[in-house]
């Protein structure tokens, strides 16, 4: 029996590529939404007032304490009973965005906390408002600190989009399931599906490694002590 059926690849290769396109689209939408929404959430989580923090901390802990697939089921199957009907793709966007917003807010919060308080004080001494100091001083530095971690989360998100197949989102794994169920060529279909995931995900891993290396080199240069100033010889100084 032939394990790898080339005829199946020829017949359904384009359909699998369409599924890969939907996977990439879903990933990019969630990256943008979660990446932006996590910033104000992280800011609120750094508030000194616990009453302000409480509802957002509760949200983050609920999201972190429940499986992503349950959140997906809740958005797709439970919300319609409350009058909110979403199509599968929109439900996947909402569930994945909620999940990754919660996790990324913790990443951002760690980055913001890593910036010394002295820099805020220095910005205030220069007459900057807290908002302006955050945008121009704190946020750029915090972003550099968390960039490698963000990259790893985005790679994980690309693979987590496969969970959207359980609510019939027509992404890569769902497409592979349909083809394998109709052709019974499980080895061929799932092998090609895995290769497509790898081809799309591996460059992102390389990009994250490259960014980590660049950031490490930049940090090493900043820590490197400046060469001592060349002092004139005693004889030269007196000439």
């Amino acid at each position: 029996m032939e394990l790898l059926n080339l005829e199946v690849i020829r017949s359904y290769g384009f359909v699998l590529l369409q599924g890969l396109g939907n996977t990439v689209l879903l990933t990019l939408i969630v990256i943008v939404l979660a990446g932006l929404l996590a910033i104000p959430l992280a800011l609120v989580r750094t508030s000194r007032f616990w009453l302000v923090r409480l509802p957002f901390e509760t949200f983050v802990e609920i999201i972190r304490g429940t499986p992503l697939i349950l959140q997906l089921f809740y958005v797709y199957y439970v919300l319609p009973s409350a009058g909110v009907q979403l199509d599968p793709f929109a439900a996947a966007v909402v569930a994945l965005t909620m999940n990754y917003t919660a996790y990324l807010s913790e990443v951002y919060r760690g980055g913001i906390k890593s910036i010394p308080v002295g820099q805020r004080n220095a910005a205030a001494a220069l007459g900057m408002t807290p908002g302006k100091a955050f945008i121009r001083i704190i946020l750029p530095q915090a972003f550099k600190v968390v960039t490698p971690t963000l990259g790893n989360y985005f790679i994980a998100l690309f693979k987590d989009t496969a969970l959207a197949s359980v609510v019939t989102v027509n992404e890569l794994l769902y497409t592979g399931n349909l083809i394998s169920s109709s052709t019974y060529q499980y080895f061929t279909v799932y092998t090609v599906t895995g290769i497509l995931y790898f081809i799309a995900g591996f460059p992102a891993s390389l990009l994250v490694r490259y960014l980590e290396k660049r950031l490490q080199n930049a940090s090493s240069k900043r820590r490197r002590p400046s060469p001592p100033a060349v002092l004139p010889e005693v004889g030269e100084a007196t000439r």
Side-chain angles (χ1 to χ4, degrees):
M1 180 180 176
E2 186 181 15
L3 277 178
L4 196 63
N5 191 323
L6 297 180
E7 183 57 34
V8 171
I9 298 174
R10 279 193 291 268
S11 300
Y12 296 99
F14 182 71
V15 180
L16 285 170
L17 287 176
Q18 286 181 318
L20 177 62
N22 288 333
T23 293
V24 173
L25 177 63
L26 179 59
T27 303
L28 293 177
I29 291 174
V30 176
I31 283 176
V32 173
L33 292 178
L36 293 177
L37 292 174
I39 295 174
L41 183 56
L43 276 177
V44 175
R45 295 263 287 145
T46 60
S47 171
R48 292 176 296 173
F49 305 103
W50 68 270
L51 270 176
V52 175
R53 296 196 312 267
L54 182 62
F56 300 98
E57 286 179 350
T58 304
F59 166 75
V60 170
E61 294 307 323
I62 289 174
I63 293 295
R64 296 203 309 176
T66 53
L68 173 56
I69 192 169
L70 174 63
Q71 297 158 18
L72 193 57
F73 283 151
Y74 202 91
V75 172
Y76 187 64
Y77 293 114
V78 178
L79 285 188
S81 61
V84 181
Q85 182 77 47
L86 298 174
D87 64 60
F89 191 87
V93 169
V94 171
L96 286 165
T97 299
M98 283 196 315
N99 186 279
Y100 274 84
T101 296
Y103 280 98
L104 293 184
S105 71
E106 289 298 283
V107 175
Y108 287 148
R109 190 167 68 92
I112 293 170
K113 289 280 188 182
S114 70
I115 307 304
V117 179
Q119 298 204 20
R120 299 173 191 268
N121 297 334
L126 292 172
M128 288 188 184
T129 62
K132 195 172 182 181
F134 176 77
I135 293 173
R136 298 184 62 177
I137 306 294
I138 306 301
L139 191 59
Q141 295 183 78
F143 188 74
K144 286 182 182 176
V145 171
V146 303
T147 294
T149 308
L150 285 179
N152 289 324
Y153 269 97
F154 292 153
I155 292 171
L157 168 62
F158 174 69
K159 291 180 286 185
D160 279 348
T161 55
L163 289 174
S165 64
V166 299
V167 292
T168 68
V169 174
N170 193 22
E171 46 76 61
L172 179 56
L173 184 60
Y174 181 77
T175 306
N177 286 337
L178 290 180
I179 297 172
S180 60
S181 299
S182 60
T183 62
Y184 301 104
Q185 295 294 325
Y186 297 105
F187 180 85
T188 298
V189 175
Y190 286 124
T191 299
V192 173
T193 300
I195 290 172
L196 289 176
Y197 270 114
F198 179 77
I199 290 174
F202 186 61
S205 299
L206 293 178
L207 178 62
V208 170
R209 288 180 196 168
Y210 172 76
L211 289 175
E212 286 179 353
K213 193 173 180 181
R214 287 290 303 267
L215 290 172
Q216 286 173 355
N217 290 340
S219 299
S220 301
K221 287 179 181 176
R222 281 197 298 270
R223 289 195 298 267
R224 191 174 300 161
S226 301
V230 179
L231 298 176
E233 296 290 338
V234 175
E236 293 178 354
T238 56
R239 279 200 290 269

